[in-house]
Amino acid sequence: MAEKTLQTVLNRLYAADVPEKADIEYTLSIKDAAQTAELFAFADEIRQRHVGDGILLRGIVEFSNRCDNSCKYCGLNKTNVNLKRYKLTDRQILNCVEQVANAGIGTVVLQSGEQADLDSDWLAGIIREIKTRFDIAVTLSVGEKYCQDYALWKEAGADRYLLKIETTNRQLYQNLHPQMALDNRLRCSKDLKTLGYQNGSGNIIGLPDQTIGDIADDILFFARERFDMIGIGPFIPHPATALSDCPPSDVEMVLKTIAVTRIITKDSHLPATTAIGSVNGNDYRPDALMAGANVLMPNFTPLPYRQLYEIYPGKRCSTEAPGTCGPCIDMMANAIGRTIDLSRGDSLKKKRKECA
Ligand code: SAH
């Protein structure tokens, strides 16, 4: 039987068209510090080879915290009646986008809670206005919608869409998302791909009852669907949710998941998420950037509202004025020998011809 050293497993994960779930589980299970360092170094080398040293920036504008869903982990869930709800005006949104563009950043992400009655024509108008006024890629992250809505926004000029699967474990998904269905989320993701969006997914690590096998299945899903971007972040318990007493995610497991996802997906864009910059008051984004990540998402939501977009507590940079991230981000890149890349950062995936 072939010897199972970490190096042979890592080489196999990198070379495989369809990686073995057992190899992913083996790698996620390592605990030894030297082996973990070996994994991160390997992922960092693959990152360097496939996406280079530039850290891409995506300016995020959280334009509304209104939400009709009741995701059990999220502070925006509709049962949190004490949260003051907001929606930015058109003018406020366009001002934020202008700040992103003025900072030289090539992508704006428009994110919100999920409202069934979000006016699709209104959002299409905002997208059109942005595309007329600024030379910037637009990423939407407004949840599960009908295919017609996604098509309308694509026609209006949207380039990318971020809809994390959160977990591929059907039972866990159902427990965490009452009134929602994994199949509808999968349908949305498929529609987005068919419509030609650069397609983003991702998951939450450390959810109650989530196993290493579940995380391995998530990674296999990311690989199979060839996502252009994948956001992997830690679970952080929010006091106003049903999961308030659950322990936060083990940061090392998040970093290992990023590393394995990099090794397998090779050229997907992987953000060092704001959540990984916010665990227990610590900023692990540099660690994520050294374990396979290549994207940062500075926040451009205006200050009084930013604190109200509290999906989890202790969210990094909720008191700094928008647009002041530049020096901090430059310092982070310098400290780890990397550079900031202000380009649009489009997908690096070669489009495969889909067979009928
Ligand atoms: N309504 C949009 C955006 C949701 S907020 C949508 O449905 O896609 C963006 C992300 O925050 C979610 O996808 C989820 O992964 C993350 N999130 C929410 N609550 C969290 C928590 N308590 N801990 C960690 N991540 C959380």
Side-chain angles (χ1 to χ4, degrees), residues 21-316:
K21 184 173 172 185
D23 281 347
I24 301 177
E25 289 177 309
Y26 173 87
T27 311
L28 293 176
S29 303
I30 58 174
K31 292 216 162 61
D32 175 74
Q35 286 204 316
T36 311
E38 190 181 332
L39 164 64
F40 294 164
F42 190 85
D44 201 42
E45 196 188 311
I46 307 301
R47 186 269 310 151
Q48 217 276 334
R49 191 178 307 163
H50 289 272
V51 301
D53 278 334
I55 298 172
L56 295 165
L57 300 185
R58 321 290 198 201
I60 183 158
V61 178
E62 298 149 337
F63 68 88
S64 168
N65 68 352
R66 296 182 191 158
C67 195
D68 295 330
N69 285 341
S70 42
C71 308
K72 289 225 174 111
Y73 44 81
C74 184
L76 305 190
N77 83 79
K78 69 173 180 205
T79 60
N80 185 4
V81 289
N82 294 323
L83 180 67
K84 194 172 157 228
R85 303 287 168 162
Y86 73 88
K87 179 173 177 241
L88 301 187
T89 63
D90 296 16
R91 206 194 155 113
Q92 283 172 317
I93 296 173
L94 291 165
N95 279 344
C96 295
V97 179
E98 186 169 16
Q99 289 192 42
V100 177
N102 286 347
I105 296 176
T107 299
V108 65
V109 183
L110 300 179
Q111 191 175 79
S112 70
E114 189 169 321
Q115 273 202 291
D117 62 356
L118 173 83
D119 184 339
S120 302
D121 292 321
W122 166 80
L123 184 53
I126 293 280
I127 297 164
R128 262 183 233 112
E129 184 77 21
I130 293 174
K131 296 303 264 191
T132 311
R133 285 178 48 187
F134 310 102
D135 179 18
I136 202 166
V138 172
T139 303
L140 301 177
S141 179
V142 301
E144 297 178 23
K145 297 287 164 195
Y146 295 114
C147 188
Q148 299 91 291
D149 297 321
Y150 292 149
L152 176 71
W153 299 332
K154 186 78 181 58
E155 259 165 51
D159 303 276
R160 309 179 190 141
Y161 204 100
L162 181 59
L163 183 77
K164 291 172 66 174
I165 197 71
E166 316 296 5
T167 174
T168 53
N169 178 317
R170 208 163 268 282
Q171 187 59 54
L172 186 57
Y173 187 93
Q174 211 51 64
N175 297 346
L176 293 168
H177 307 96
Q179 300 130 32
M180 291 167 73
L182 184 64
D183 284 334
N184 194 49
R185 210 156 179 89
L186 292 168
R187 187 273 303 160
C188 290
S189 189
K190 205 162 161 225
D191 285 347
L192 291 162
K193 189 174 181 184
T194 308
L195 287 166
Y197 279 90
Q198 294 175 41
N199 205 3
S201 189
N203 63 351
I204 306 180
I205 306 295
L207 292 164
D209 299 327
Q210 185 184 44
T211 64
I212 283 185
D214 294 335
I215 300 174
D217 283 334
D218 293 349
I219 297 175
L220 285 168
F221 168 73
F222 300 150
R224 213 171 37 241
E225 297 300 319
R226 301 183 84 251
F227 285 107
D228 303 293
M229 45 196 176
I230 302 155
I232 295 161
F235 164 66
I236 303 175
H238 189 291
T241 62
L243 304 184
S244 58
D245 291 334
C246 297
S249 167
D250 166 23
V251 174
E252 197 132 294
M253 186 56 78
V254 182
L255 297 173
K256 286 190 283 189
T257 306
I258 292 173
V260 175
T261 304
R262 167 60 67 209
I263 293 165
I264 292 175
T265 65
K266 301 178 179 61
D267 59 1
S268 295
H269 292 308
L270 307 185
T273 56
T274 307
I276 202 160
S278 315
V279 195
N280 302 324
N282 295 314
D283 189 351
Y284 294 97
R285 288 177 300 174
D287 305 76
L289 290 166
M290 290 189 288
N294 71 316
V295 176
L296 282 170
M297 300 181 72
N299 195 320
F300 283 78
T301 311
L303 268 191
Y305 305 104
R306 204 185 299 183
Q307 275 151 318
L308 299 174
Y309 199 82
E310 201 196 42
I311 44 188
Y312 47 79
K315 200 163 144 227
R316 179 146 298 277

